[in-house]
Amino acid sequence: MVAEEKGSISIHTENIFPIIKKFLYSDHEIFLRELVSNAVDATRKLKHLAGSTELDGDIDNLSVTVSLDKEARTITISDEGIGMTADEIRKYINQIAFSGATEFVEKFKGQGEDLRSQIIGNFGLGFYSAFMVADQVEINTRSFQPDAESARWICDGSTEFEIGPGDKATRGTDIILHLSADSDEFLDEYRLRTILKKYCSFLPVTVKLGEEVINETSPAWTKAPSSLTDEDYLAFYRKLYPSAADPLFWIHLNVDYPFNLTGILYFPKAGNNFEVQRDKIQLYSRQVFITDEVKDVVPEFLMLLHGVIDSPDIPLNVSRSFLQADSNVKKINGYITRKVADKLSELFNADRKAYEEKWDNIGLFVKYGIISEAKFAEKATAFALVKNVAGEYYTSGEYKDKVAANQTGADGEQVWLYASDAARQHSYIQAAERRGYDVLLFDSVIDNHYLSHLEQSLEKTHLKRVDSDSADKLIDKGEAEDAAQSSLDEAGKESLKAVFEKSLGTAAKNISFASLSAEDLPVTLTQNEMMRRMKEMYSQGPNAGIFGSMPDEYNVVVNANHPLNAKIAASETDEDKDRLARYAYDLALLSQGRLTGAELSAFISRSLSIVA
């Protein structure tokens, strides 16, 4: 029979329980995760023993049960696992759990909030998280060993404890928490259910709240990919994210060397949404939910993915709230990067058309990855696409071949033209297409950065936005087109230039002439490519306030072959010339959606006066 015993946990410096309560766990709800996880571990140990030891009772339908007694103010976590003898309580609860306690207290005394991020959980303090919410904890347990006697351990949160005979008739352990006065929130069954759903939804042993089963013991990521259908993967995704649209595709992770990792990563329909979807990957350790802050495990560019990663080899601090720097984390990060690249390559090669249909949703991931991860960028060359305004997709190699004949300048450099807003830049796109040029579309939120990276990776190629110059000057082919095609001589141009300068005033800082088609606008506005890029780059840095407030500067390009400009030049009165010149300029603003409010109203009035 177990002898009555009282004792003191050997801590010579000070009581460790207040430190546990104040520093180790940022959220007191964690106690339930820790205690249920311990109960699951005890149950799994029993199942493991069943292969080599004859055990009494059913071992096929074991469960962990959480019970609430509001009147008694107790929460009980019960398992049917391996149990403990009185000697094992002394060893595992009183000794091992505090084997490093004295050193721990001395080392980190006075370090305040920095404590949580510095300590490593190499001693078993998980059980003692119970004292965050309870002012007394009981262990009532019976070992699986033949003829074992039940034992009870009681502690009130001081270093004093009692061990004596228990009254548990069956194998397993009950942990009874007598809740403290400031823990009333955990007397709410809904609150307990919410905590269990958050941390225990996929534990490998059945977990119950009363009679209600909380978890799924064999979630999709723990199964062999060959045993799962597409509908299985989609059903699991919908369980994780009930309100989200179905994902585009997924990657099943499964590796056991040089680290253990399983999981499923889903590619959501992100489109151009760079921020809203973040923090959707859940990190588990042996099916216990840990956190959705996985920025050190998952490459930054894949933080927009959804899904689950489970690894016992990811080092956590004692509260499991923070990842620790470790070589395994870097290896896992690299592995995930490689698996994503391999999956994208596989999709591209297996069904090019289906891949192109997904590109508008996955392009953001791929571009961000190319910018931020050199190893990913190497692989991505084969499946990264560019898209033109006609909706056609090309790899960079394919596109170089497509435009080589018509978009190579006199210096041997290819010029890739692009639009960032196809609607606003429509007239420029039309002008370029009339010259046989192809125009790409780069309109995602990271394309400013991606364009620079793309340009650096391409040989003898540079990119120009389609409104950076007049169509005849977008690609310098060394041809004297102006002299051959212009309907105005130099004197006519000078005269017309003076009209525009007078009519436009300060808006006419840089006026030039271009020999465009009569179908092009009479006046277009252009922005120097390099100056615009510089402004955009600096507007996103530390001087964003200064550069972001600087007004855009445009060049005014007059189409020497447009009938309206010929009419302006031939007008008899200065008033007519001024009115028509202003009208031509307003059309240029209107084509880009730059006429609004009072300026738009004034344009309408001027237009009516012309046609009246």
Side-chain angles (χ1 to χ4, degrees), residues 145-161:
Q145 298 176 32
D147 302 322
E149 295 179 343
S150 176
R152 185 187 304 275
W153 177 92
I154 301 174
C155 182
D156 63 0
S158 69
T159 55
E160 304 301 318
F161 67 88

Side-chain angles (χ1 to χ4, degrees), residues 255-261 311 313 327-328 331-332 335 338:
V255 62
D256 55 17
Y257 182 82
F259 48 81
N260 287 288
L261 176 79
S311 176
D313 292 336
S327 60
N328 270 346
K331 290 176 184 176
I332 290 170
Y335 168 77
R338 186 172 69 255

